[in-house]
Amino acid sequence: MGSPMAHNLLKAGVDLTVWNRTKTKCDPLISLGAKYKPSPEEVAASCDVTFAMLADPQSAVDVACGKHGAANGIGPGKGYVDVSTVDGDTSKLISAQINSTGALFLEAPVSGSKKPAEDGQLIFLTAGDKALYETVGSLLDIMGKSKFYLGDVGNGAAMKLVVNMIMGSMMASFSEGLLLCEKVGLDPDVLVKVVSQGAINAPMYSTKGPSMIQSLYPTAFPLKHQQKDLRLALGLAESVSQSTPIAAAANELYKVAKSHGLSDQDFSAVIEALKSKIQHSENQ
Ligand SMILES: NC(=O)C1=CN([C@@H]2O[C@H](COP(=O)(O)OP(=O)(O)OC[C@H]3O[C@@H](n4cnc5c(N)ncnc54)[C@H](OP(=O)(O)O)[C@@H]3O)[C@@H](O)[C@H]2O)C=CC1
Ligand SMILES: O=CCCC(=O)O
Protein backbone atom coordinates (compact mmCIF):
# COMPACT_ATOMS: atom_id res chain seq x y z
CA MET A 1 0.00 0.00 0.00
CA GLY A 2 2.84 2.36 0.83
CA SER A 3 4.44 2.03 -2.61
CA PRO A 4 1.45 3.06 -4.75
CA MET A 5 0.59 5.86 -2.33
CA ALA A 6 4.16 7.18 -2.50
CA HIS A 7 4.11 6.75 -6.28
CA ASN A 8 1.07 9.03 -6.54
CA LEU A 9 2.76 11.68 -4.42
CA LEU A 10 5.81 11.53 -6.69
CA LYS A 11 3.67 11.76 -9.83
CA ALA A 12 2.05 14.89 -8.36
CA GLY A 13 5.49 16.49 -7.96
CA VAL A 14 5.80 16.16 -4.18
CA ASP A 15 9.39 16.29 -2.87
CA LEU A 16 9.52 12.75 -1.43
CA THR A 17 11.95 10.85 0.78
CA VAL A 18 11.38 7.13 1.40
CA TRP A 19 12.48 4.36 3.76
CA ASN A 20 11.40 0.72 3.99
CA ARG A 21 12.76 -2.15 6.12
CA THR A 22 13.51 -4.08 2.93
CA LYS A 23 15.36 -1.40 1.01
CA THR A 24 14.97 -3.00 -2.43
CA LYS A 25 11.25 -2.17 -2.34
CA CYS A 26 12.24 1.52 -2.38
CA ASP A 27 14.26 1.13 -5.58
CA PRO A 28 11.39 1.71 -8.08
CA LEU A 29 10.47 4.92 -6.21
CA ILE A 30 14.10 6.06 -6.06
CA SER A 31 14.42 5.48 -9.81
CA LEU A 32 11.40 7.77 -10.26
CA GLY A 33 13.06 10.57 -8.27
CA ALA A 34 12.40 9.85 -4.60
CA LYS A 35 15.23 10.50 -2.15
CA TYR A 36 16.21 7.75 0.30
CA LYS A 37 17.21 7.85 3.98
CA PRO A 38 18.48 4.79 5.86
CA SER A 39 16.13 5.08 8.90
CA PRO A 40 12.71 6.44 9.92
CA GLU A 41 14.60 8.83 12.24
CA GLU A 42 16.45 10.37 9.31
CA VAL A 43 13.30 10.58 7.19
CA ALA A 44 11.48 12.44 9.96
CA ALA A 45 14.46 14.74 10.55
CA SER A 46 14.65 15.73 6.89
CA CYS A 47 10.93 16.10 6.07
CA ASP A 48 8.12 18.43 7.17
CA VAL A 49 5.60 15.58 7.23
CA THR A 50 6.26 11.85 7.57
CA PHE A 51 3.70 9.24 6.49
CA ALA A 52 3.94 5.70 7.92
CA MET A 53 2.30 2.64 6.33
CA LEU A 54 3.14 -0.44 8.42
CA ALA A 55 1.84 -3.97 8.72
CA ASP A 56 0.46 -4.06 12.26
CA PRO A 57 0.55 -2.47 15.75
CA GLN A 58 4.00 -3.81 16.64
CA SER A 59 5.70 -2.58 13.47
CA ALA A 60 3.88 0.78 13.67
CA VAL A 61 5.23 1.28 17.21
CA ASP A 62 8.73 0.08 16.28
CA VAL A 63 9.01 2.47 13.35
CA ALA A 64 7.59 5.45 15.25
CA CYS A 65 9.06 4.92 18.71
CA GLY A 66 11.85 2.33 18.46
CA LYS A 67 15.61 2.74 18.09
CA HIS A 68 16.15 5.02 15.07
CA GLY A 69 12.37 5.48 15.00
CA ALA A 70 10.69 8.61 13.62
CA ALA A 71 10.16 10.15 17.08
CA ASN A 72 13.95 10.56 17.40
CA GLY A 73 14.11 12.77 14.32
CA ILE A 74 10.85 14.68 14.56
CA GLY A 75 10.15 17.89 16.47
CA PRO A 76 8.24 21.20 16.57
CA GLY A 77 6.86 22.36 13.22
CA LYS A 78 6.75 18.79 11.83
CA GLY A 79 3.96 16.22 11.52
CA TYR A 80 3.59 12.41 11.62
CA VAL A 81 0.69 10.75 9.81
CA ASP A 82 0.20 7.04 10.50
CA VAL A 83 -1.93 5.44 7.79
CA SER A 84 -1.44 1.84 9.02
CA THR A 85 -4.43 -0.13 10.36
CA VAL A 86 -3.87 -0.44 14.12
CA ASP A 87 -5.98 -0.35 17.28
CA GLY A 88 -6.75 2.89 19.14
CA ASP A 89 -4.42 2.14 22.06
CA THR A 90 -1.47 1.71 19.69
CA SER A 91 -2.34 4.92 17.92
CA LYS A 92 -2.60 6.79 21.24
CA LEU A 93 0.81 5.47 22.29
CA ILE A 94 2.40 6.67 19.06
CA SER A 95 0.55 10.00 19.28
CA ALA A 96 1.82 10.62 22.82
CA GLN A 97 5.40 9.89 21.79
CA ILE A 98 5.22 12.15 18.72
CA ASN A 99 3.43 14.96 20.60
CA SER A 100 6.06 14.79 23.38
CA THR A 101 8.65 16.00 20.83
CA GLY A 102 6.52 19.04 19.97
CA ALA A 103 5.42 17.57 16.61
CA LEU A 104 1.80 16.98 15.56
CA PHE A 105 0.15 13.57 15.03
CA LEU A 106 -2.66 12.38 12.78
CA GLU A 107 -3.94 8.81 12.47
CA ALA A 108 -5.31 8.25 8.97
CA PRO A 109 -6.00 4.56 8.19
CA VAL A 110 -7.37 3.95 4.73
CA SER A 111 -10.34 2.14 3.30
CA GLY A 112 -9.68 0.80 -0.19
CA SER A 113 -7.17 -1.74 -1.41
CA LYS A 114 -4.28 -2.02 -3.88
CA LYS A 115 -6.19 -0.74 -6.95
CA PRO A 116 -7.73 2.30 -5.20
CA ALA A 117 -4.25 3.02 -3.79
CA GLU A 118 -2.82 2.95 -7.34
CA ASP A 119 -5.69 5.07 -8.65
CA GLY A 120 -5.53 7.66 -5.84
CA GLN A 121 -9.01 6.62 -4.73
CA LEU A 122 -8.48 5.77 -1.05
CA ILE A 123 -10.78 6.90 1.76
CA PHE A 124 -8.90 8.39 4.73
CA LEU A 125 -10.34 7.94 8.23
CA THR A 126 -8.43 10.56 10.19
CA ALA A 127 -8.28 11.70 13.80
CA GLY A 128 -5.84 13.68 15.93
CA ASP A 129 -4.31 17.13 15.51
CA LYS A 130 -6.74 19.15 13.40
CA ALA A 131 -3.99 21.58 12.32
CA LEU A 132 -2.03 18.69 10.80
CA TYR A 133 -5.20 17.40 9.11
CA GLU A 134 -5.49 20.76 7.43
CA THR A 135 -1.80 20.93 6.51
CA VAL A 136 -1.80 17.51 4.83
CA GLY A 137 -5.25 17.83 3.24
CA SER A 138 -3.83 18.43 -0.25
CA LEU A 139 -1.56 15.35 0.10
CA LEU A 140 -4.49 13.18 1.22
CA ASP A 141 -6.42 14.47 -1.79
CA ILE A 142 -3.63 13.26 -4.10
CA MET A 143 -3.80 9.74 -2.63
CA GLY A 144 -7.51 9.51 -1.95
CA LYS A 145 -11.00 10.37 -3.12
CA SER A 146 -12.34 11.39 0.28
CA LYS A 147 -11.29 12.08 3.83
CA PHE A 148 -13.15 12.09 7.14
CA TYR A 149 -11.98 13.91 10.26
CA LEU A 150 -13.31 12.03 13.27
CA GLY A 151 -11.96 13.93 16.28
CA ASP A 152 -9.75 12.45 18.98
CA VAL A 153 -6.96 9.93 18.29
CA GLY A 154 -8.46 6.44 18.37
CA ASN A 155 -11.63 7.35 16.46
CA GLY A 156 -10.03 6.86 13.03
CA ALA A 157 -8.61 3.51 14.13
CA ALA A 158 -11.97 2.44 15.55
CA MET A 159 -13.86 3.43 12.37
CA LYS A 160 -11.38 1.49 10.25
CA LEU A 161 -11.71 -1.61 12.44
CA VAL A 162 -15.51 -1.49 12.29
CA VAL A 163 -15.39 -1.23 8.47
CA ASN A 164 -12.96 -4.14 8.19
CA MET A 165 -14.93 -6.20 10.72
CA ILE A 166 -17.96 -5.91 8.43
CA MET A 167 -15.83 -6.67 5.37
CA GLY A 168 -14.29 -9.80 6.91
CA SER A 169 -17.70 -11.18 7.81
CA MET A 170 -19.10 -10.33 4.37
CA MET A 171 -16.29 -12.23 2.66
CA ALA A 172 -16.77 -15.27 4.93
CA SER A 173 -20.51 -15.28 4.24
CA PHE A 174 -19.96 -14.87 0.48
CA SER A 175 -17.57 -17.84 0.60
CA GLU A 176 -20.25 -19.99 2.23
CA GLY A 177 -22.71 -18.96 -0.47
CA LEU A 178 -20.35 -19.81 -3.34
CA LEU A 179 -19.64 -23.28 -1.92
CA LEU A 180 -23.28 -24.01 -1.10
CA CYS A 181 -24.28 -23.00 -4.61
CA GLU A 182 -21.80 -25.45 -6.09
CA LYS A 183 -22.83 -28.27 -3.70
CA VAL A 184 -26.50 -28.04 -4.73
CA GLY A 185 -25.56 -28.12 -8.42
CA LEU A 186 -25.91 -24.41 -9.20
CA ASP A 187 -23.35 -22.40 -11.15
CA PRO A 188 -21.48 -20.05 -8.74
CA ASP A 189 -20.68 -17.72 -11.66
CA VAL A 190 -24.43 -17.16 -11.96
CA LEU A 191 -24.61 -16.44 -8.21
CA VAL A 192 -21.99 -13.69 -8.69
CA LYS A 193 -24.14 -12.17 -11.46
CA VAL A 194 -27.35 -12.41 -9.40
CA VAL A 195 -25.71 -10.83 -6.36
CA SER A 196 -24.26 -8.03 -8.51
CA GLN A 197 -27.75 -6.94 -9.55
CA GLY A 198 -29.45 -6.96 -6.17
CA ALA A 199 -29.53 -5.13 -2.86
CA ILE A 200 -26.48 -7.00 -1.48
CA ASN A 201 -24.24 -6.00 -4.37
CA ALA A 202 -20.73 -5.01 -3.29
CA PRO A 203 -17.77 -4.36 -5.61
CA MET A 204 -15.64 -6.98 -3.85
CA TYR A 205 -18.08 -9.77 -4.79
CA SER A 206 -17.84 -9.11 -8.53
CA THR A 207 -14.11 -8.36 -8.36
CA LYS A 208 -13.07 -11.38 -6.32
CA GLY A 209 -15.89 -13.89 -6.99
CA PRO A 210 -14.68 -15.13 -10.42
CA SER A 211 -11.15 -15.87 -9.16
CA MET A 212 -12.45 -17.47 -5.95
CA ILE A 213 -14.47 -19.88 -8.09
CA GLN A 214 -11.19 -20.90 -9.75
CA SER A 215 -9.46 -21.19 -6.34
CA LEU A 216 -7.18 -18.26 -7.23
CA TYR A 217 -6.42 -15.54 -4.68
CA PRO A 218 -4.09 -12.89 -6.17
CA THR A 219 -3.15 -10.72 -3.22
CA ALA A 220 -4.64 -7.26 -2.87
CA PHE A 221 -5.40 -7.36 0.85
CA PRO A 222 -3.33 -10.08 2.58
CA LEU A 223 -5.41 -12.55 4.59
CA LYS A 224 -3.10 -12.15 7.62
CA HIS A 225 -4.02 -8.46 7.78
CA GLN A 226 -7.75 -9.19 7.56
CA GLN A 227 -7.39 -11.61 10.49
CA LYS A 228 -5.36 -8.99 12.39
CA ASP A 229 -8.16 -6.47 11.83
CA LEU A 230 -10.85 -8.91 13.01
CA ARG A 231 -8.76 -9.65 16.10
CA LEU A 232 -8.39 -5.93 16.83
CA ALA A 233 -12.09 -5.28 16.12
CA LEU A 234 -13.07 -8.04 18.55
CA GLY A 235 -10.85 -6.36 21.17
CA LEU A 236 -12.58 -3.05 20.47
CA ALA A 237 -16.00 -4.70 20.86
CA GLU A 238 -14.94 -6.35 24.10
CA SER A 239 -13.76 -3.01 25.48
CA VAL A 240 -17.35 -1.75 25.34
CA SER A 241 -19.08 -5.12 26.04
CA GLN A 242 -20.58 -5.22 22.55
CA SER A 243 -21.59 -8.68 21.33
CA THR A 244 -20.10 -9.54 17.89
CA PRO A 245 -20.80 -13.26 17.31
CA ILE A 246 -20.71 -13.04 13.50
CA ALA A 247 -17.28 -11.38 13.48
CA ALA A 248 -16.02 -13.87 16.08
CA ALA A 249 -17.08 -16.79 13.88
CA ALA A 250 -15.50 -15.18 10.81
CA ASN A 251 -12.27 -14.61 12.75
CA GLU A 252 -12.06 -18.35 13.47
CA LEU A 253 -12.26 -19.08 9.74
CA TYR A 254 -9.42 -16.66 8.95
CA LYS A 255 -7.34 -18.30 11.70
CA VAL A 256 -7.94 -21.71 10.09
CA ALA A 257 -6.93 -20.28 6.70
CA LYS A 258 -3.74 -18.84 8.25
CA SER A 259 -2.87 -22.17 9.82
CA HIS A 260 -3.08 -23.70 6.33
CA GLY A 261 -0.42 -21.38 4.94
CA LEU A 262 -2.75 -18.83 3.33
CA SER A 263 -1.54 -15.75 5.27
CA ASP A 264 0.00 -13.98 2.27
CA GLN A 265 -2.78 -14.85 -0.17
CA ASP A 266 -5.67 -12.44 -0.66
CA PHE A 267 -8.22 -12.48 2.15
CA SER A 268 -10.72 -14.08 -0.26
CA ALA A 269 -8.71 -17.29 0.33
CA VAL A 270 -10.78 -17.64 3.50
CA ILE A 271 -13.07 -19.76 1.31
CA GLU A 272 -10.43 -22.50 1.54
CA ALA A 273 -11.16 -22.77 5.28
CA LEU A 274 -14.68 -23.91 4.40
CA LYS A 275 -13.65 -26.57 1.92
CA SER A 276 -14.17 -30.09 3.18
CA LYS A 277 -10.51 -31.12 2.91
CA ILE A 278 -9.41 -28.45 5.38
CA GLN A 279 -12.46 -28.92 7.64
CA HIS A 280 -11.74 -32.64 7.75
CA SER A 281 -8.12 -32.14 8.81
CA GLU A 282 -9.22 -29.60 11.47
CA ASN A 283 -11.58 -32.17 12.98
CA GLN A 284 -8.95 -34.93 13.28
N1 LIG B 1 -3.48 -4.29 1.26
C1 LIG B 1 -4.63 -3.65 1.43
O1 LIG B 1 -5.59 -3.81 0.66
C2 LIG B 1 -4.83 -2.72 2.59
C3 LIG B 1 -4.02 -2.74 3.71
N2 LIG B 1 -4.26 -1.88 4.74
C4 LIG B 1 -3.41 -1.86 5.92
O2 LIG B 1 -2.22 -1.19 5.53
C5 LIG B 1 -1.09 -1.74 6.19
C6 LIG B 1 -0.09 -2.25 5.17
O3 LIG B 1 -0.74 -3.19 4.36
P1 LIG B 1 -0.01 -3.85 3.08
O4 LIG B 1 0.78 -2.84 2.35
O5 LIG B 1 -1.04 -4.62 2.38
O6 LIG B 1 0.95 -4.85 3.85
P2 LIG B 1 2.34 -5.50 3.43
O7 LIG B 1 2.42 -6.69 4.32
O8 LIG B 1 2.46 -5.62 1.97
O9 LIG B 1 3.40 -4.40 3.89
C7 LIG B 1 3.71 -4.21 5.23
C8 LIG B 1 4.79 -3.17 5.39
O10 LIG B 1 5.18 -3.14 6.78
C9 LIG B 1 6.60 -3.32 6.84
N3 LIG B 1 6.94 -4.01 8.09
C10 LIG B 1 6.40 -5.14 8.57
N4 LIG B 1 6.95 -5.45 9.76
C11 LIG B 1 7.88 -4.50 10.02
C12 LIG B 1 8.76 -4.25 11.09
N5 LIG B 1 8.81 -5.07 12.17
N6 LIG B 1 9.56 -3.17 11.03
C13 LIG B 1 9.51 -2.34 9.97
N7 LIG B 1 8.68 -2.51 8.92
C14 LIG B 1 7.88 -3.57 8.94
C15 LIG B 1 6.95 -4.13 5.62
O11 LIG B 1 8.33 -4.02 5.35
P3 LIG B 1 9.08 -5.10 4.43
O12 LIG B 1 8.82 -4.67 3.02
O13 LIG B 1 10.49 -5.02 4.85
O14 LIG B 1 8.45 -6.44 4.75
C16 LIG B 1 6.06 -3.45 4.59
O15 LIG B 1 6.62 -2.23 4.17
C17 LIG B 1 -1.65 -2.83 7.12
O16 LIG B 1 -1.88 -2.25 8.38
C18 LIG B 1 -2.96 -3.20 6.46
O17 LIG B 1 -3.89 -3.73 7.38
C19 LIG B 1 -5.27 -0.95 4.68
C20 LIG B 1 -6.08 -0.88 3.59
C21 LIG B 1 -5.96 -1.78 2.49
O1 LIG C 1 -7.85 -2.82 5.00
C1 LIG C 1 -8.10 -3.19 3.84
C2 LIG C 1 -9.27 -2.75 3.17
C3 LIG C 1 -9.43 -3.28 1.80
C4 LIG C 1 -10.59 -2.59 1.13
O2 LIG C 1 -11.14 -1.63 1.66
O3 LIG C 1 -10.90 -3.03 0.00
Side-chain angles (χ1 to χ4, degrees), residues 4-5 7-8 11 113-122 143:
M5 292 169 75
H7 193 187
N8 281 331
K11 274 196 299 189
S113 195
K114 201 170 152 187
K115 180 81 168 60
E118 287 165 358
D119 296 344
Q121 293 289 302
L122 294 169
M143 297 182 282

Side-chain angles (χ1 to χ4, degrees), residues 1 53 85 109-114 116 122-123 160 163-164 167 204 208 220-222 225-226 228-229 267:
M1 291 294 286
M53 180 49 120
T85 304
V110 297
S111 204
S113 195
K114 201 170 152 187
L122 294 169
I123 303 161
K160 173 63 186 167
V163 172
N164 274 27
M167 190 177 76
M204 75 176 190
K208 296 183 191 284
F221 181 38
H225 292 332
Q226 175 63 81
K228 175 253 306 177
D229 294 350
F267 77 116

Side-chain angles (χ1 to χ4, degrees), residues 189-282:
D189 281 308
V190 177
L191 174 69
V192 175
K193 288 198 185 100
V194 172
V195 166
S196 77
Q197 292 181 30
I200 62 165
N201 181 31
M204 75 176 190
Y205 295 146
S206 11
T207 312
K208 296 183 191 284
S211 48
M212 290 168 76
I213 291 164
Q214 295 175 64
S215 303
L216 295 172
Y217 315 106
T219 310
F221 181 38
L223 186 139
K224 64 184 174 197
H225 292 332
Q226 175 63 81
Q227 195 274 319
K228 175 253 306 177
D229 294 350
L230 278 165
R231 173 172 60 79
L232 298 176
L234 292 175
L236 176 68
E238 192 171 335
S239 73
V240 290
S241 302
Q242 170 65 47
S243 179
T244 48
I246 311 285
N251 184 43
E252 291 305 313
L253 279 182
Y254 288 94
K255 281 161 62 182
V256 170
K258 266 175 68 174
S259 73
H260 284 269
L262 297 165
S263 286
D264 294 315
Q265 301 275 306
D266 189 68
F267 77 116
S268 49
V270 72
I271 192 172
E272 292 293 331
L274 291 162
K275 291 187 179 171
S276 52
K277 213 168 90 196
I278 283 185
Q279 291 239 313
H280 183 69
S281 72
E282 286 294 308

Side-chain angles (χ1 to χ4, degrees), residues 82 86-95 105-109 125-129 149-162 236:
D82 197 331
V86 298
D87 56 298
D89 285 346
T90 297
S91 202
K92 285 174 194 164
L93 190 153
I94 296 171
S95 173
F105 176 81
L106 190 73
E107 65 182 10
L125 307 171
T126 78
D129 287 313
Y149 180 76
L150 301 165
D152 292 340
V153 173
N155 290 347
M159 181 65 86
K160 173 63 186 167
L161 293 179
V162 171
L236 176 68

Side-chain angles (χ1 to χ4, degrees), residues 42-121:
E42 286 164 84
V43 171
S46 67
C47 296
D48 297 333
V49 175
T50 302
F51 283 85
M53 180 49 120
L54 280 316
D56 52 22
Q58 188 60 57
S59 54
V61 170
D62 286 351
V63 166
C65 312
K67 197 177 171 205
H68 304 303
N72 293 314
I74 213 160
K78 293 176 182 283
Y80 191 78
V81 184
D82 197 331
V83 296
S84 324
T85 304
V86 298
D87 56 298
D89 285 346
T90 297
S91 202
K92 285 174 194 164
L93 190 153
I94 296 171
S95 173
Q97 187 82 13
I98 296 293
N99 283 160
S100 75
T101 69
L104 301 180
F105 176 81
L106 190 73
E107 65 182 10
V110 297
S111 204
S113 195
K114 201 170 152 187
K115 180 81 168 60
E118 287 165 358
D119 296 344
Q121 293 289 302

Side-chain angles (χ1 to χ4, degrees), residues 126-198:
T126 78
D129 287 313
K130 188 81 188 275
L132 181 56
Y133 172 73
E134 273 148 19
T135 305
V136 300
S138 59
L139 299 175
L140 301 183
D141 290 342
I142 290 167
M143 297 182 282
K145 66 177 177 185
S146 63
K147 52 189 188 300
F148 293 82
Y149 180 76
L150 301 165
D152 292 340
V153 173
N155 290 347
M159 181 65 86
K160 173 63 186 167
L161 293 179
V162 171
V163 172
N164 274 27
M165 183 187 84
I166 297 170
M167 190 177 76
S169 301
M170 281 172 66
M171 181 53 82
S173 180
F174 182 55
S175 298
E176 286 181 341
L178 287 174
L179 293 175
L180 178 59
C181 214
E182 223 167 351
K183 271 270 169 66
V184 298
L186 291 169
D187 182 348
D189 281 308
V190 177
L191 174 69
V192 175
K193 288 198 185 100
V194 172
V195 166
S196 77
Q197 292 181 30

